[in-house]
Amino acid sequence: MQYVDTHTHLYMDDYSDGCGNAVQRAIEAGVTKMILPDVDSKAREKMFSLAEMFPLNTFPCLGLHPTEITENWKSEIDALMEHKGRKDIVAIGETGMDCHWTKDTVREQEEVFRTQLDLAIELGLPVIVHSREATEITLRILGDYKGKGLRGVFHAYGGSIETFREIEKLGDWYVGIGGVVTFKKASIAETVKEIPIERILTETDAPWLAPVPFRGQRNESSYIPHIAQKIAEQKGLDKEKVAAATWENAHKLFRI
């Protein structure tokens, strides 16, 4: 079986023992392809460097995370745009709306989000959407782009089946299911039963949100099989079916 981790930050400083070692552990666990979402200009070069080390296994994105939007956000967008001509970029993101950490930058977040959505359409790339305590705002913004060819994934999806139905109406959208699905009493464990396997992507969001039995530890892409196993159990499917379906979904969306 082969797996894809559609959202992993293995280039972060958390992997002081070697980002390359973490990638190698993932490959050995059958996670042979990893999407590397961008965060901001400070981490971008590390992301590109890791992608260049493993060009057949790791695929970089281009984006500005909503929690990294500060007073210099316009400079951050300028820095992002300098790389839009790169041929190895597979998605725009991680971008979106975050009202959990602060609501003071909501207006700026929306402007930055829309700028990146426009860029995705311009480049013909999918979008990796971060939405935390901002479902209504995020759906409103994406609704303005309905019918314009925008496609993508709601990363770290933890919403209800009703919200998923609203996402479905927007067009070609997937949801990323990560380690939270393995947590006790996590609502997404029940919701995932009703989400079609054709719309599910596996992800870790490493180094955060490690699945059981590694909860509380540093997350790694090599843990994807644990997430796939839980999805399989919840949906009454074979693990092989989940691996094959999510592999196909990732290749359709990111064209890797």
Side-chain angles (χ1 to χ4, degrees):
M1 286 184 288
Q2 292 190 87
Y3 301 91
V4 182
D5 185 349
T6 60
H7 199 108
T8 180
H9 302 275
L10 292 183
Y11 55 86
M12 292 288 190
D13 291 339
D14 299 71
Y15 301 93
S16 56
D17 52 336
C19 301
N21 293 335
V23 172
Q24 196 58 53
R25 285 192 292 273
I27 295 170
E28 291 169 0
V31 186
T32 56
K33 294 192 177 182
M34 290 152 265
I35 306 296
L36 306 176
D38 193 12
V39 175
D40 61 14
S41 61
K42 297 188 294 293
R44 191 165 295 137
E45 289 308 318
K46 292 179 182 177
M47 177 191 67
F48 286 146
S49 294
L50 184 60
E52 288 161 6
M53 285 173 60
F54 297 90
L56 300 179
N57 309 103
T58 59
F59 304 88
C61 305
L62 193 59
L64 179 59
H65 194 287
T67 63
E68 302 306 312
I69 294 172
T70 59
E71 64 278 354
N72 71 332
W73 66 268
K74 291 185 178 179
S75 297
E76 281 286 342
I77 288 294
D78 290 341
L80 182 156
M81 292 299 182
E82 290 177 6
H83 297 281
K84 72 175 188 176
R86 288 184 65 115
K87 301 302 182 185
D88 56 350
I89 299 298
V90 299
I92 299 302
E94 169 178 5
T95 182
M97 303 294 299
D98 193 306
C99 293
H100 174 77
W101 294 108
T102 179
K103 296 181 181 179
D104 295 339
T105 60
V106 168
R107 191 185 318 180
E108 292 84 356
Q109 285 185 42
E110 179 168 346
E111 184 170 348
V112 170
F113 188 22
R114 288 182 181 274
T115 297
Q116 292 177 86
L117 295 177
D118 292 338
L119 180 61
I121 292 173
E122 176 189 340
L123 299 179
L125 293 174
V127 180
I128 297 173
V129 174
H130 172 108
S131 178
R132 189 170 186 188
E133 296 180 21
T135 300
E136 185 176 342
I137 301 172
T138 303
L139 291 177
R140 171 179 60 78
I141 294 169
L142 291 176
D144 292 342
Y145 288 82
K146 185 178 179 180
K148 296 184 178 181
L150 195 65
R151 66 190 198 282
V153 55
F154 272 68
H155 145 65
Y157 188 70
S160 65
I161 191 61
E162 290 76 20
T163 298
F164 173 77
R165 300 298 180 210
E166 293 301 312
I167 293 170
E168 275 192 307
K169 295 175 185 177
L170 296 174
D172 188 13
W173 289 87
Y174 296 79
V175 291
I177 304 298
V180 175
V181 76
T182 69
F183 296 178
K184 269 189 177 180
K185 300 181 180 178
S187 61
I188 188 59
E190 290 301 311
T191 303
V192 80
K193 294 178 180 178
E194 301 185 61
I195 299 174
I197 190 64
E198 294 80 11
R199 287 289 135 186
I200 292 175
L201 298 174
T202 49
E203 63 166 68
T204 58
D205 201 16
W208 306 286
L209 299 175
V212 174
F214 307 102
R215 187 174 183 181
Q217 302 175 32
R218 182 187 70 182
N219 203 358
E220 295 208 1
S221 292
S222 60
Y223 299 159
I224 281 287
H226 295 274
I227 295 166
Q229 177 65 46
K230 183 64 175 183
I231 293 171
E233 291 171 3
Q234 293 302 103
K235 297 189 70 62
L237 298 172
D238 291 335
K239 189 177 180 181
E240 291 80 2
K241 167 69 173 176
V242 171
T246 53
W247 174 273
E248 182 178 353
N249 296 344
H251 282 71
K252 281 182 180 178
L253 181 62
F254 297 106
R255 296 171 184 170
I256 51 178

